[in-house]
Amino acid sequence: GQTGPVGTLTMEDDSDLFDPPRRITFSFDSSGWLYTYHLGVAHYLQQALLGGSGGGGGPSSDFAFSGSSGGALVAGALATGIDIHALASFVISCHGECQYNPWRMFPCTDRALQRFVGQAAHKRANGRLRVLLTRIQLWTLKPAVRPETVSAFGSTQHLKQVLRASCHIPFLAGPLPYHVPRQDAPDGSMLHAGGDFIDGLYWPSVLFMWRQFDRADTLVRVSGIGNPLAAIRPPLPVPLHWVVLPPPPETLWKLFACGYHDAAQWLAEHTEEGEAELLAEEEAPPSPSGSSARDHCAETPA
């Protein structure tokens, strides 16, 4: 049966999905430069569901966010109320620096975190953001590589470190894992053990439940690569080398607008009336070509 709405949003299931403490969790896959598609999805969600930038991403009782790698950056931006369009503009402005130097994407990530993640952002993220990491233990008697999620952040600096660690690709970002210091709560108890981490990669959620805070939460998965299991994904195959080597800025803006349009279509299918305003045609930021968001999706090359 159908559930009651959160705003105008409803989902299909056999039970009332919105009885507390259940939430809708938007989960963003690993993506590299294809996270410009994620940013387009996030921009529409921020406008249509979350009250715009600066609002912290909507009531914590209704929405949560999760992500890995570039998807973690997008989830973090939604959870903390960062202006998504401004963030996308900054990301795409880094194209010239990174086009033939993929290792330069990490200094760009550092600059974005310093520029956009404001003071007390960790308070907005706590309990609303889940970040997937890969813990590396190579210097112990029992070497291990295992997934780990972080959803409690002791400070804004800790939040930045966790997001950066989730994007840390070995060798491209340096020969060593990214170190996150231990974080303690004000009462002295351990909040996060810290350690050495690399990119969250793609840990199957069937084996490790990282996407949701609770199995009862409604999961809305977003994939810039086009994973067929995702609820929101590009309608056409996307070249996988774009993950590391970005296409021209105009194409990145097309991916952004395509994500915006696909999110609008998804929301239209899950509203109480079965309808929603498709704002993509009128309100999605135009690419340099001036074509519509719908056209961008149709033009994305295979």
Side-chain angles (χ1 to χ4, degrees):
Q2 282 196 337
T3 70
V6 170
T8 59
L9 184 61
T10 61
M11 300 291 289
E12 296 285 340
D13 205 317
D14 293 331
S15 60
D16 188 347
L17 296 178
F18 299 109
D19 281 343
R22 297 178 179 182
R23 294 186 286 188
I24 300 173
T25 299
F26 292 98
S27 184
F28 297 84
D29 285 356
S30 297
S31 56
W33 276 92
L34 295 177
Y35 79 145
T36 51
Y37 177 87
H38 288 171
L39 286 167
V41 172
H43 185 46
Y44 184 84
L45 295 177
Q46 191 171 71
Q47 287 187 322
L49 285 181
L50 308 178
S53 61
S60 60
S61 60
D62 293 342
F63 301 104
F65 310 92
S66 66
S68 171
S69 189
L73 298 178
V74 178
L78 283 174
T80 58
I82 290 172
D83 185 323
I84 298 294
H85 187 260
L87 176 59
S89 297
F90 177 85
V91 167
I92 294 175
S93 75
C94 294
H95 174 273
E97 180 178 349
C98 303
Q99 183 176 10
Y100 301 113
N101 303 286
W103 52 89
R104 293 299 303 170
M105 72 174 76
F106 304 102
C108 287
T109 300
D110 291 333
R111 295 201 301 271
L113 291 171
Q114 292 303 318
R115 178 172 177 175
F116 290 98
V117 180
Q119 293 299 317
H122 66 291
K123 295 181 180 178
R124 291 183 172 186
N126 278 333
R128 305 179 57 210
L129 173 66
R130 288 175 66 84
V131 178
L132 178 65
L133 306 169
T134 300
R135 177 179 287 276
I136 302 293
Q137 290 180 306
L138 299 179
W139 325 118
T140 65
L141 294 177
K142 295 182 178 181
V145 176
R146 66 175 188 269
E148 181 174 315
T149 56
V150 181
S151 58
F153 308 95
S155 66
T156 296
Q157 182 63 19
H158 181 224
L159 171 62
K160 293 176 183 178
Q161 291 168 340
V162 170
L163 291 173
R164 176 62 177 79
S166 186
C167 301
H168 193 79
I169 302 176
F171 305 109
L172 277 180
L176 298 177
Y178 189 90
H179 182 72
V180 177
R182 169 179 166 142
Q183 293 290 315
D184 290 329
D187 63 3
S189 61
M190 186 177 68
L191 192 65
H192 178 222
D196 296 322
F197 300 94
I198 62 171
D199 190 292
L201 302 173
Y202 182 85
W203 291 97
S205 50
V206 173
L207 302 178
F208 180 71
M209 196 192 84
W210 66 270
R211 296 184 182 276
Q212 301 140 277
F213 282 87
D214 190 276
R215 291 187 184 277
D217 292 348
T218 298
L219 177 65
V220 181
R221 182 172 167 182
V222 183
S223 172
I225 296 175
N227 190 303
L229 298 179
I232 305 175
R233 62 185 186 273
L236 297 174
V238 179
L240 291 182
H241 66 271
W242 287 359
V243 170
V244 176
L245 299 174
E250 181 176 335
T251 302
L252 292 174
W253 277 118
K254 287 181 177 180
L255 284 170
F256 177 87
C258 185
Y260 187 98
H261 180 263
D262 291 346
Q265 285 195 317
W266 176 86
L267 185 61
E269 296 170 0
H270 295 88
T271 53
E272 187 174 13
E273 303 298 328
E275 299 177 352
E277 291 184 46
L278 291 181
L279 301 177
E281 295 293 335
E282 295 79 19
E283 297 184 16
S287 75
S289 68
S291 54
S292 70
R294 192 183 303 274
D295 292 338
H296 297 338
C297 293
E299 293 170 3
T300 302

